Amino acid sequence: MRAPANLVSKRAIIQWTLQAVIGWAVVVVGQGLVVLLADAPPGWLRVTLAVSAVVGVVHVLVMPRWRYRVHRWETTGDAVFTRSGWINEEWRLAPVSRIQTVDTARGPLQQLLKLATVTVTTASAQGPVKIAGLDEDVAARIVDELAATTQATPGDAT
Amino acid sequence: MTQSTLPAAPEFVEPAQEWGRLDARMIVVRPLNELLGLLPLLFALVVVGNVETWRVVIGVGTVGLIVAYGLLSWLTTKYRITDTQVELHKGVLFRQRRAIPRDRIRTVDLTAKLGHRLFGLAAVRVGTGQQERTPGEGVLLDAVTATEADRLRQVFLHRPAVAEAVQEVEETPISRLDNRWYRYAPLSLSGLLSIAVMVGFGMNLANELDFEFSDVAVVRQVFGWLTHADWTAVIPVAAALVLVLSVLASLVAYLLQNHAYRLTRHADGTLRVRRGLLTTRSVSIEEQRLRGVALHEPLLLRAGRGARLTAVSTGLNRQANSSLLLPPAPRPEADRVTAAVLRVPTAPTTARLRPHPPQARTRRLIRAVLPAVALTAALLTLTLTAAWPEWLWITSTALIPLSVLIGLDRYRNLGHTLTDRYLVTRSGSLDRRTIALRRTGIVGWKITRTLFQRRAGLLSITAITAAGNGGYTVPDIAEPDGLALADTAVPDLLRQFLTP
């Protein structure tokens, strides 16, 4: 099976990096404050601090670039095809005839970077198909295209 | 078409109904149901506990609150059925207004608890195609008279039917309870579980009431025996006691849930499951919405050649066991019911399944053994460093060979195949499930490849569907086989993305 045709926006790397940095900063700074300020910090806290600092740096450096190579998407006349993840890959394929709703969402970081996430829901409880880290304009175009084709399809998509 | 020359017939519209209320007897029944559940507690409060004023006050207060709540919820709940939708207004503190389009109704579930049955009432739960993420999202009319409930079922499930006339449609029996099936009851762990629940509840209650077990002579004697007797005598006696109790409890549970079980097909295109001794349920499933069946064979039940059957259908409420098609019964009966329900000559779940590659066995073994090894290692470390007792880690080593067996069995059970109309997948050991999913009910695919799966050339492919769990997985299938399976099961979907 070939990979979906399109890459996501290059700015998605920045978004994933910032997200990871913020997450790890909370963990590391939290532990660091205890080590610095507490009267008698437990000995193992220095160890976990060092470990989380190292793991954090590696994660921040590796994950976004790895993700960028994995995350891909493609829409054809009758299907939406995506690939996401990094260590574990998830490929999703949804026929356009079974799509129920298509929408975009933009978190604060994404607004800053002019990115958007397209969410395609089907009738299943397995969760929607998401394309994260798309350029705003591309996302808007996908939503328009899919909305047009979905409306043209009769039935209740179950 | 000649129709265009004729004047358009006025569309038949059912008269928009007035707002209906739940049956007035619910003012009594709702508190009654609640009180039935609280009966042991109240009994204990009055009889066993040291009667203090505040206990009595709390007891009376609780009863009063429950009765008042029953009255208020009756006053605030009303429903009506218009030609297009079912509307329900309810809520004492938080007002809720809910409307469900009638053409979205997929299943109707009638439940009558003991309190309901004393007054000839039933609660009606309406399931739509939408997946209910939290319980209570659908429409629940708790409760109306049994005749009204039956009328509602008819109105909801066959759209053009006239609302007033209640005529029972023709029904064909598919299966009914055979008393010999009771032998499968002890093979589920429900008995053990209910004992645990009861013991937990009893302990909790005793604790709440400051009840001292040592005050009871029998308990004192038992404890005396326990402390003096040899453990070689204690263990078999305790085991036998638990066994006997759990068998009894599971038999009672089977009786309560599955008494007078009947599965019938109705001329209006629905399947109906009726069962229960004290609480009776009657679940109607629109056949058009049935996407397949799941055959459950937990380890013990499988050892006794039994199986349980549930429906894979859109709109079924997953919380309350609504999807049960067949209680624990012989496997041949399960296969017969499967074939009858799905209207196929032979049950897809009996089809010969294709095994998965040997790499899948390695993965199953690693995943089964690793936790056991990790547990032993952790206990050993704690023994060495924190002076935990030695027997802990020594006993836990026994888990390792067991986990090997489970891993091997998990691999042996892995299998998948395609029949004319169904995708069949089987997995699990302690809870083996065989799913037959209608190929036309597949609304997409999810393929997951973990790092280890990529190295082993495997993938897990999940058929996404609107029914049941929302997706059914074929785990650890060889990459080319998995893609071929998906491509064949739903033609013209995956093909365009396969490398030529």
Side-chain angles (χ1 to χ4, degrees), chain B residues 110 167 408:
Chain B
L110 307 188
Q167 67 248 24
L408 287 175

Side-chain angles (χ1 to χ4, degrees), chain B residues 1-6:
Chain B
M1 296 279 264
T2 52
Q3 272 174 354
S4 54
T5 58
L6 298 169

Side-chain angles (χ1 to χ4, degrees), chain B residues 173-185 250-264 272-277 307-308 324-330 333 336-337:
Chain B
I174 295 178
S175 180
R176 61 184 311 126
L177 188 76
D178 183 334
N179 283 333
R180 284 171 296 181
W181 296 357
Y182 275 98
R183 69 176 187 271
Y184 293 104
S250 60
L251 284 172
V252 170
Y254 198 94
L255 174 75
L256 287 178
Q257 288 166 12
N258 302 320
H259 174 74
Y261 156 82
R262 255 179 315 158
L263 172 64
T264 46
R272 192 180 300 176
V273 180
R274 274 167 285 195
R275 64 198 174 94
L277 179 70
R308 194 163 57 85
L324 188 90
L325 281 178
L326 182 74
E333 174 69 8
R336 193 185 64 75
V337 170

Side-chain angles (χ1 to χ4, degrees), chain B residues 325-462:
Chain B
L325 281 178
L326 182 74
R331 175 71 201 271
E333 174 69 8
D335 291 335
R336 193 185 64 75
V337 170
T338 303
V341 162
L342 299 178
R343 293 177 186 275
V344 285
T346 52
T349 44
T350 56
R352 214 182 136 74
L353 300 186
R354 266 176 265 162
H356 289 217
Q359 294 95 310
R361 176 169 49 211
T362 322
R363 271 177 61 76
R364 293 272 89 85
L365 277 174
I366 290 174
R367 291 176 63 155
V369 174
L370 221 52
V373 172
L375 179 69
T376 312
L379 287 173
L380 181 59
T381 325
L382 285 170
T383 308
L384 295 178
T385 59
W388 281 36
E390 262 198 344
W391 61 268
L392 271 174
W393 76 267
I394 295 174
T395 0
S396 73
T397 48
L399 288 176
I400 296 173
L402 270 181
S403 62
V404 171
L405 287 180
I406 288 179
L408 287 175
D409 190 50
R410 278 169 62 88
Y411 172 70
R412 207 170 55 85
N413 287 333
L414 274 188
H416 66 274
T417 195
L418 279 179
T419 68
D420 288 351
R421 292 167 61 201
Y422 289 90
L423 166 71
V424 185
T425 168
R426 169 184 294 166
S427 62
S429 167
L430 295 178
D431 181 20
R432 182 170 97 167
R433 293 191 313 167
T434 313
I435 314 286
L437 181 65
R438 191 166 295 168
R439 284 158 61 172
T440 51
I442 297 173
V443 301
W445 295 100
K446 177 168 90 175
I447 297 171
T448 48
R449 296 162 75 217
T450 65
L451 188 63
F452 296 111
Q453 279 181 318
R454 290 202 292 276
R455 292 178 54 165
L458 300 172
L459 49 83
S460 293
I461 185 157
T462 305

Side-chain angles (χ1 to χ4, degrees), chain A residues 1-2 66 74 76 78-79 81 86-95 98 122-126 156-158, chain B residues 106 131 289 291 440 443-451 454 464-466 470-471 483 493-494 496-497 499:
Chain A
M1 185 166 55
R2 65 173 175 82
W66 191 340
E74 182 174 351
T76 65
D78 54 359
F81 184 33
W86 56 303
I87 293 180
N88 297 335
E89 288 176 5
E90 184 178 299
W91 306 54
R92 289 290 294 260
L93 183 59
R98 307 299 187 124
T122 59
S124 168
Q126 282 276 311
D156 70 346
T158 59
Chain B
R106 304 290 182 253
Q131 292 289 341
R289 300 294 156 186
R291 295 286 182 273
T440 51
V443 301
W445 295 100
K446 177 168 90 175
I447 297 171
T448 48
R449 296 162 75 217
T450 65
L451 188 63
R454 290 202 292 276
I464 307 285
T465 169
L483 299 179
L493 179 59
L494 191 66
Q496 52 190 325
F497 303 112
T499 25

